[in-house]
């Protein structure tokens, strides 16, 4: 048998860990059950828990490193534990474990996301760093060095036993993997820095970027730190896109096509960018490199151009062309967006004059009224004209539509994803490749992704299992199709210049 490199690596990595030779040392990793989980977690000041399944190859590959890390961290008083989700399924469901392995850091009974690597050294370094204070007190004489110690540094000017300290400490625990935090209990230094005490300021590359104003809550401070972490009217590129995503603020993309145009826009829009920085992060984008991203935002290749992209909501707001990209135009446009008066734009083909075929031809303009009709189960295939896998699936999908016409409460539909945007914020409907098939159930509108092969039998079984309305026992009409594992064409983003991971956020 030919063993692939990945399988061989797993076999080599796991062979020693799962061996049962007599005299093997007891594991340093605590095994947690549902009954003991809460009590154990509440008792830990700092710990790490792995949620796994024994059959998971990645879990098996990680096991030796996790065991070694548990041994190394014993002297630091940081216990490592694990939960077998095949045995403790109820617990894993309650904690919403998305896949295996999933690691969570325990901090005084609360769980936060683990953002380190899976190697022994990475686990050990990450947990030791988390053992240090999330919000250390900084002496006045060390302040200048501290504010220059990282790209983004958030500093509180208050005493230890204040409400502001408690809030910033909570924020620091949550964001410590992204930003650096500290506090200074020195009113003279606060006055010299122009920060009211108690107060919070963010420094970028050692320079004060902004001072927090408003009610001090965890949510408001998190939004403040994230929004301030990106520059006012910076440059958006494949290198900086991740920073804008993490900031969690809608992005206002200003496209330019010449260096002279860029300079003029930067001068004209700096005030707008500064005034709206907590609402929309304005950024300059080189249209010579990222013209396809502009097209995705429904902008014609006429520069300059502007659009707001709300990544979290999967929405876009292009400034109607040919309106000029100027301060006079952008101020009211961004204000309308901030006040919720601006409707998102969704690209759509015209609604078909007739729709009497076996498969309902869906377009963006009618998507919500059809797909979210609570009286019907709606199966939707998102396809692209150039997608070879879509073409191979077409015959089976057409036959499925014919077979299902006898059920008036079931709609088999398809939509060209290249010509229509999905007018929904639901992450389950954000298409990253073709064909993508989902079922929107009747009554509860729950969305279930299809992952079977391209046969009518598999599609029918999927509907029989998941549709709200019952189907007959033998609805599949036999046709000749390939019985292969599902395949699809991933939407290419190389022309955009963004990495595949970042591209998931920009496919609207």
């Amino acid at each position: 048998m030919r063993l692939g490199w990945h399988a061989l690596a797993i076999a080599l990595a796991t062979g020693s860990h799962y061996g049962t030779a007599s005299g093997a040392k007891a594991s340093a990793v605590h095994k947690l059950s549902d009954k003991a989980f809460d009590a154990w977690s509440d008792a830990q000041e700092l710990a790490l828990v792995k949620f796994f399944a024994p059959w998971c190859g990645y879990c098996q590959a990680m096991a030796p490193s996790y065991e070694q890390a548990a041994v190394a961290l014993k002297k630091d008083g940081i216990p490592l534990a694990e939960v077998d989700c095949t045995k403790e399924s109820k617990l894993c469901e309650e904690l919403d474990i998305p896949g295996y392995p999933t690691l969570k850091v325990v901090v005084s009974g609360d769980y936060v996301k683990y953002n380190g690597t899976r190697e022994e050294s990475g686990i050990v370094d990450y947990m030791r760093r988390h053992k240090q204070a999330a919000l250390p007190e900084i002496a006045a004489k060390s302040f200048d060095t501290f504010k220059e110690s990282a790209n983004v540094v958030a500093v509180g000017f208050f005493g230890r036993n204040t409400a502001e300290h408690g809030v910033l400490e909570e924020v620091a625990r949550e964001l410590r993997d992204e930003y650096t935090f500290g506090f200074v209990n020195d009113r003279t230094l606060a006055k010299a820095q122009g920060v009211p005490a108690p107060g919070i300021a963010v420094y970028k590359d050692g320079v004060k970027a902004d001072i927090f104003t408003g009610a001090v809550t965890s949510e408001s401070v998190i939004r403040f730190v994230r929004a301030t972490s990106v520059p006012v009217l910076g440059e958006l590129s494949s290198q900086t896109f991740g920073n804008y995503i993490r900031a969690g603020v809608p992005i206002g993309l200003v496209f330019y096509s010449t260096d002279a145009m860029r300079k003029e826009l930067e001068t004209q829009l700096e005030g707008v960018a500064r005034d709206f920085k907590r609402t929309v992060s304005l950024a300059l984008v080189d249209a010579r490199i990222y013209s396809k991203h502009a097209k995705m935002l429904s902008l014609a290749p006429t520069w300059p151009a502007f659009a707001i992209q709300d990544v979290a909501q999967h929405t876009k707001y292009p400034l109607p062309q040919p309106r000029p990209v100027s301060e006079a135009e952008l101020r009211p446009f961004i204000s309308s967006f901030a006040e919720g008066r601006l409707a998102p734009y969704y690209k759509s083909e015209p609604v078909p004059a007739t729709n009497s075929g076996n498969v309902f031809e869906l377009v963006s303009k009618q998507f919500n009224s059809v797909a979210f009709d609570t009286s019907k189960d709606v199966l939707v295939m998102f396809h692209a004209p150039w997608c070879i896998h879509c073409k191979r699936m077409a015959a089976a999908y057409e036959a499925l539509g014919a077979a299902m016409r006898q059920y008036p409460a079931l709609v088999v539909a398809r939509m060209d994803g290249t010509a229509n945007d999905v007018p929904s914020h639901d992450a389950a409907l954000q298409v990253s490749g073709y064909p993508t098939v989902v079922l929107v159930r009747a009554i509860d509108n729950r969305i279930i992704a299809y992952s079977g092969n391209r046969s009518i039998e598999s599609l029918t079984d999927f509907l029989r299992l998941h549709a709200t309305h019952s189907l007959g026992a033998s609805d599949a009409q036999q046709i000749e199709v390939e019985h292969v594992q599902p395949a699809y064409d991933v939407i290419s983003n190389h022309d955009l210049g963004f990495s595949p991971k970042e591209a998931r956020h920009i496919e609207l």
Side-chain angles (χ1 to χ4, degrees):
M1 179 179 71
R2 186 175 179 179
L3 187 64
W5 168 248
H6 178 66
L8 178 62
I10 291 177
L12 292 174
T14 60
S16 60
H17 180 75
Y18 285 96
T20 56
S22 59
K25 293 182 179 179
S27 173
V29 178
H30 298 270
K31 309 297 189 291
L32 298 181
S33 65
D34 189 353
K35 292 181 180 179
F37 185 80
D38 287 341
W40 185 89
S41 300
D42 291 342
Q44 309 307 318
E45 182 180 341
L46 179 66
L48 182 65
V49 179
K50 176 182 69 174
F51 298 86
F52 76 102
W55 48 259
C56 165
Y58 294 106
C59 302
Q60 295 167 16
M62 181 186 176
S65 297
Y66 197 70
E67 179 70 34
Q68 292 157 10
V71 173
L73 288 169
K74 257 190 172 182
K75 62 183 179 181
D76 297 280
I78 304 174
L80 269 61
E82 63 184 12
V83 175
D84 182 346
C85 288
T86 64
K87 295 180 179 179
E88 311 296 341
S89 58
K90 183 179 178 182
L91 173 63
C92 294
E93 287 177 8
E94 289 176 354
L95 293 172
D96 196 23
I97 302 303
Y100 310 119
T102 290
L103 298 175
K104 288 184 178 289
V105 179
V106 186
V107 182
S108 301
D110 293 327
Y111 278 77
V112 296
K113 184 180 178 182
Y114 172 83
N115 291 312
T117 66
R118 295 177 182 175
E119 294 80 27
E120 176 197 358
S121 59
I123 295 171
V124 171
D125 290 346
Y126 186 90
M127 296 306 295
R128 283 176 176 166
R129 190 165 67 250
H130 272 252
K131 193 173 178 66
Q132 300 170 2
L135 186 66
E137 183 170 4
I138 309 303
K141 63 181 181 181
S142 305
F143 177 76
D144 287 339
T145 301
F146 178 74
K147 68 184 177 67
E148 297 173 355
S149 63
N151 176 248
V152 178
V153 178
V155 181
F157 293 86
F158 38 62
R160 183 178 295 276
N161 298 317
T162 60
E164 291 81 3
H165 179 278
V167 170
L168 191 59
E169 187 174 38
E170 184 179 339
V171 171
R173 287 198 187 103
E174 183 171 342
L175 302 183
R176 67 188 299 167
D177 295 331
E178 301 173 43
Y179 314 112
T180 298
F181 294 84
F183 80 98
V184 178
N185 188 10
D186 190 313
R187 288 183 174 272
T188 301
L189 179 59
K191 185 176 181 180
Q193 291 293 313
V195 181
I200 301 170
V202 168
Y203 294 80
K204 290 167 59 179
D205 297 321
V207 178
K208 185 175 65 184
D210 203 357
I211 299 171
F212 177 81
T213 56
V216 180
T217 65
S218 295
E219 295 77 12
S220 61
V221 174
I222 287 173
R223 286 196 300 269
F224 165 71
V225 173
R226 288 193 183 281
T228 312
S229 68
V230 294
V232 175
L233 200 56
E235 185 79 16
L236 184 64
S237 67
S238 58
Q239 288 74 38
T240 62
F241 188 74
N243 297 332
Y244 283 90
I245 292 297
R246 284 189 292 274
V249 178
I251 309 169
L253 296 93
V254 183
F255 289 89
Y256 65 89
S257 59
T258 66
D259 293 345
M261 185 185 294
R262 184 194 188 284
K263 187 174 182 179
E264 181 181 349
L265 289 166
E266 186 176 26
T267 301
Q268 185 179 169
L269 301 179
E270 184 177 1
V272 179
R274 196 169 298 282
D275 291 344
F276 288 99
K277 62 184 176 181
R278 296 191 189 179
T279 305
V280 176
S281 293
L282 261 64
L284 296 156
V285 188
D286 193 337
R288 295 166 294 188
I289 302 173
Y290 302 111
S291 61
K292 288 200 172 182
H293 190 59
K295 182 180 179 181
M296 188 191 62
L297 294 172
S298 300
L299 292 171
T302 303
W303 320 116
F306 177 79
I308 297 173
Q309 181 177 4
D310 191 338
V311 174
Q313 297 298 318
H314 306 286
T315 51
K316 57 187 175 184
Y317 304 80
L319 178 71
Q321 294 170 293
R323 285 167 60 178
V325 180
S326 64
E327 180 178 3
E329 288 286 349
L330 261 55
R331 279 192 180 277
F333 187 78
I334 298 175
S335 292
S336 295
F337 169 79
E339 295 166 6
R341 295 185 288 108
L342 198 62
Y345 176 83
Y346 297 105
K347 177 175 60 177
S348 179
E349 293 178 292
V351 175
T354 60
N355 222 326
S356 57
N358 293 328
V359 177
F360 190 93
E361 301 296 341
L362 198 56
V363 300
S364 181
K365 289 180 179 178
Q366 60 182 173
F367 184 90
N368 288 338
S369 62
V370 174
F372 293 110
D373 182 346
T374 55
S375 69
K376 296 181 180 180
D377 292 297
V378 183
L379 186 73
V380 183
M381 178 177 75
F382 300 97
H383 67 97
W386 45 260
C387 167
I388 185 65
H389 299 296
C390 302
K391 294 175 182 177
R392 290 174 179 171
M393 188 176 180
Y397 203 73
E398 186 73 26
L400 177 73
M404 296 297 121
R405 292 196 72 166
Q406 61 183 300
Y407 302 106
L410 175 65
V411 177
V412 177
R414 64 184 161 216
M415 189 166 88
D416 183 349
T418 66
N420 298 275
D421 294 326
V422 180
S424 172
H425 301 166
D426 199 308
L429 290 174
Q430 305 312 310
V431 180
S432 60
Y434 301 113
T436 291
V437 179
V438 300
L439 173 67
V440 184
R441 285 165 43 102
I443 302 175
D444 59 10
N445 278 165
R446 187 157 65 93
I447 300 167
I448 304 173
Y450 173 74
S451 58
N453 61 44
R454 294 191 295 265
S455 71
I456 187 175
E457 293 87 356
S458 179
L459 287 162
T460 303
D461 287 343
F462 172 76
L463 289 174
R464 189 177 291 118
L465 179 63
H466 295 293
T468 301
H469 299 97
S470 62
L471 305 182
S474 57
D475 302 304
Q477 298 176 356
Q478 301 300 314
I479 61 173
E480 289 188 13
V481 292
E482 293 181 76
H483 287 266
V484 295
Q485 289 299 311
Y488 73 127
D489 289 322
V490 177
I491 297 170
S492 174
N493 290 282
H494 297 300
D495 292 329
L496 303 176
F498 298 110
S499 72
K501 182 177 181 181
E502 291 164 346
R504 291 202 301 269
H505 299 284
I506 59 176
E507 291 301 338
L508 296 178

